[in-house]
Amino acid sequence: MNHDSPKIPQATAKRLPLYYRFIQNLHSSGKQRVSSAELSEAVKVDSATIRRDFSYFGALGKKGYGYNVSYLLSFFRKTLDQDEITNVALIGVGNLGTAFLNYNFMKNNNTKIQIAFDVDEEKVGTVIGDVPIYHLDELEERLDLKEVPVAILTVPSSAAQGITDRLAEAQIKGILNFTPARLNVPPTIRVHHIDLAVELQSLVYFLKNYPDASDEKSE
Amino acid sequence: MNHDSPKIPQATAKRLPLYYRFIQNLHSSGKQRVSSAELSEAVKVDSATIRRDFSYFGALGKKGYGYNVSYLLSFFRKTLDQDEITNVALIGVGNLGTAFLNYNFMKNNNTKIQIAFDVDEEKVGTVIGDVPIYHLDELEERLDLKEVPVAILTVPSSAAQGITDRLAEAQIKGILNFTPARLNVPPTIRVHHIDLAVELQSLVYFLKNYPDASDEKSE
């Protein structure tokens, strides 16, 4: 926990990894300073929002000069604890799970999938993207939650709550839930829920009701 | 476009498909009325937010009685145009794309993937989850954007902008972008961006900085 970080709005916090990635790109390309308008163009967030987000962290830039890229980079690296890797378990090695294993967040990230679980005997004992796959029966035995505090849940909906209960019992800290199931967890466990069907439905709703996308500035 | 719908905040609009799904579940289970507290428990959104969201649509409930489930159901069905199916194209039949094709949003949804594209000759000509896969070279020829106004983009990052330019040229209306690339599109095209690495990074950030998840009510 960063005791020196102020409490910032959740919406701002969600944009930080995005800012960080683009500031890395700018830095790699040798750029030394950047305006909020340029950042806005790159990350597709309107520049007023960027300035407001950055204001929570104190004076990161100067009017008329923009932001110093190296300073931003070191600031975001510290804020996002990029130097410390968080290990992640993946539960459910279907198509979506396999996509995660192959991708494994290698670039520009502070997270690494270390271990995976499935019930399919053809998958158990294999390795995908350097990650070993164990049988779900061995979850409690294999998963050291001191080392791996986060799980990605890519199992069938019907299995989600049962596995969540086992993770909760073992005192997992966070779950990234890709099943349509809403999970019941103790208040100490943080669940972020990404429902792909809802995301698609939401896009369709916006297309029907706000057909002119240019009415809005941010995604 | 629903000319009778008021403009509602984007955050509210994003929750509508979620509400709709759970109201369907309630209705299927024979429940006739529901309180905002019960809805809150089911969808994991705090009840003050639910009441505020619902207030944009006028008086949907009565104090002390709660909401009438049948009324809510017909209201949300109408609002979300559930009776009208939106056809979707999927571009990129890798692991993530295959997950979408197998899932295909069949249950409780108003969207259907009708056609898919890839460059892999082993996939071209096959059918996954009833969806035919064509070669990406045939995109403009096969894709009737009058019938299929939305595309899901699950291609490698490096291919994303090129394909987006072709979709834009063909006047697609909406893109659900699962690549890490930020897409440049004309203002008339709506892009929703789901960056899986950013979602994971965001969860990790919250775990480090807000370790007590119970501080917050909504996901």
Side-chain angles (χ1 to χ4, degrees):
Chain A
M1 188 182 183
N2 287 333
H3 287 284
D4 54 347
S5 287
K7 284 262 172 184
I8 59 169
Q10 182 156 346
T12 297
K14 284 213 157 189
R15 286 186 286 267
L16 297 185
L18 192 62
Y19 293 147
Y20 179 65
R21 172 175 307 161
F22 278 86
I23 290 160
Q24 281 183 306
N25 292 350
L26 287 175
H27 190 254
S28 307
S29 69
K31 212 156 155 42
Q32 298 190 336
R33 64 190 201 184
V34 62
S35 66
S36 52
E38 287 170 301
L39 260 173
S40 169
E41 174 60 25
V43 300
K44 311 292 177 204
V45 171
D46 67 282
S47 54
T49 301
I50 291 179
R51 285 192 299 270
R52 197 175 59 241
D53 285 348
F54 283 18
S55 73
Y56 291 107
F57 303 98
L60 292 177
K62 264 188 292 194
K63 209 175 159 78
Y65 172 86
Y67 301 99
N68 179 301
V69 171
S70 298
Y71 181 76
L72 280 181
L73 185 69
S74 63
F75 176 81
F76 277 100
R77 180 178 289 145
K78 182 168 155 277
T79 302
L80 291 169
D81 285 342
Q82 287 292 323
D83 299 327
E84 186 193 322
I85 285 180
T86 298
N87 294 316
V88 176
L90 180 116
I91 306 179
V93 190
N95 286 307
L96 183 57
T98 303
F100 279 113
L101 293 181
N102 283 323
Y103 182 42
N104 207 0
F105 311 106
M106 286 163 297
K107 265 175 60 184
N108 304 345
N109 275 291
N110 58 345
T111 49
K112 182 161 176 20
I113 301 173
Q114 288 286 5
I115 189 167
F117 296 92
D118 204 287
V119 292
D120 182 344
E121 295 292 355
E122 293 200 1
K123 288 170 187 159
V124 169
T126 66
V127 170
I128 298 179
D130 284 338
V131 181
I133 302 168
Y134 295 103
H135 197 284
L136 187 61
D137 289 348
E138 300 179 49
L139 182 70
E140 288 79 1
E141 176 190 341
R142 296 277 183 187
L143 188 57
D144 178 353
L145 290 169
K146 280 191 211 75
E147 298 297 322
V148 183
V150 175
I152 297 175
L153 211 54
T154 46
V155 296
S157 217
S158 54
Q161 186 63 53
I163 293 168
T164 299
D165 292 343
R166 289 169 66 188
L167 291 168
E169 180 73 20
Q171 301 196 301
I172 194 109
K173 292 212 178 80
I175 296 174
L176 196 58
N177 174 28
F178 280 92
T179 82
R182 306 298 279 188
L183 304 175
N184 290 308
V185 293
T188 49
I189 298 176
R190 180 175 287 277
V191 177
H192 282 203
H193 187 216
I194 301 167
D195 187 320
L196 301 177
V198 167
E199 297 289 345
L200 182 59
Q201 224 169 358
S202 163
L203 173 61
V204 167
Y205 175 81
F206 277 101
L207 287 174
K208 285 181 179 162
N209 291 279
Y210 305 77
D212 186 1
S214 56
D215 282 356
E216 268 171 83
K217 297 282 180 18
S218 66
E219 279 179 32
Chain B
M1 187 180 184
N2 288 332
H3 286 284
D4 54 346
S5 289
K7 283 261 172 185
I8 58 169
Q10 182 157 344
T12 297
K14 282 212 159 191
R15 285 186 286 267
L16 297 185
L18 193 61
Y19 294 146
Y20 178 65
R21 173 174 305 161
F22 278 86
I23 290 159
Q24 283 183 305
N25 292 350
L26 287 175
H27 190 255
S28 307
S29 70
K31 214 158 153 41
Q32 297 190 337
R33 63 190 202 184
V34 61
S35 66
S36 52
E38 287 169 300
L39 260 175
S40 170
E41 174 60 24
V43 300
K44 310 292 178 203
V45 172
D46 67 282
S47 53
T49 301
I50 291 180
R51 285 193 299 270
R52 197 177 57 242
D53 285 348
F54 283 19
S55 73
Y56 291 107
F57 303 98
L60 292 176
K62 266 188 290 194
K63 209 175 159 79
Y65 172 86
Y67 301 98
N68 179 299
V69 170
S70 297
Y71 182 76
L72 280 180
L73 185 68
S74 63
F75 176 81
F76 276 100
R77 179 178 290 144
K78 180 167 157 278
T79 302
L80 290 170
D81 286 342
Q82 287 292 323
D83 301 325
E84 185 193 322
I85 286 180
T86 298
N87 294 317
V88 177
L90 181 117
I91 305 177
V93 190
N95 287 304
L96 183 57
T98 304
F100 278 113
L101 293 182
N102 284 321
Y103 181 40
N104 208 358
F105 311 106
M106 286 163 295
K107 266 173 60 182
N108 305 346
N109 276 290
N110 59 346
T111 48
K112 181 158 176 24
I113 301 173
Q114 289 286 6
I115 189 168
F117 296 91
D118 203 287
V119 293
D120 183 344
E121 295 291 355
E122 293 199 0
K123 287 170 188 159
V124 170
T126 66
V127 170
I128 299 180
D130 285 336
V131 181
I133 302 168
Y134 295 102
H135 197 284
L136 187 60
D137 289 347
E138 301 179 47
L139 182 71
E140 288 79 2
E141 175 189 343
R142 296 278 183 186
L143 189 58
D144 178 353
L145 289 169
K146 282 192 210 72
E147 297 298 320
V148 183
V150 175
I152 297 175
L153 210 54
T154 46
V155 296
S157 215
S158 54
Q161 186 63 52
I163 293 168
T164 298
D165 292 343
R166 289 170 64 187
L167 291 168
E169 180 73 21
Q171 300 197 300
I172 195 111
K173 291 212 178 80
I175 296 174
L176 195 58
N177 173 26
F178 280 92
T179 81
R182 306 297 279 187
L183 305 175
N184 290 308
V185 293
T188 48
I189 298 176
R190 180 175 287 277
V191 178
H192 282 202
H193 187 217
I194 302 169
D195 186 322
L196 301 177
V198 167
E199 297 290 344
L200 182 58
Q201 224 170 358
S202 164
L203 173 61
V204 167
Y205 175 81
F206 277 102
L207 286 174
K208 285 180 177 161
N209 291 279
Y210 306 77
D212 186 0
S214 55
D215 281 357
E216 268 173 82
K217 296 282 178 17
S218 67
E219 277 179 29

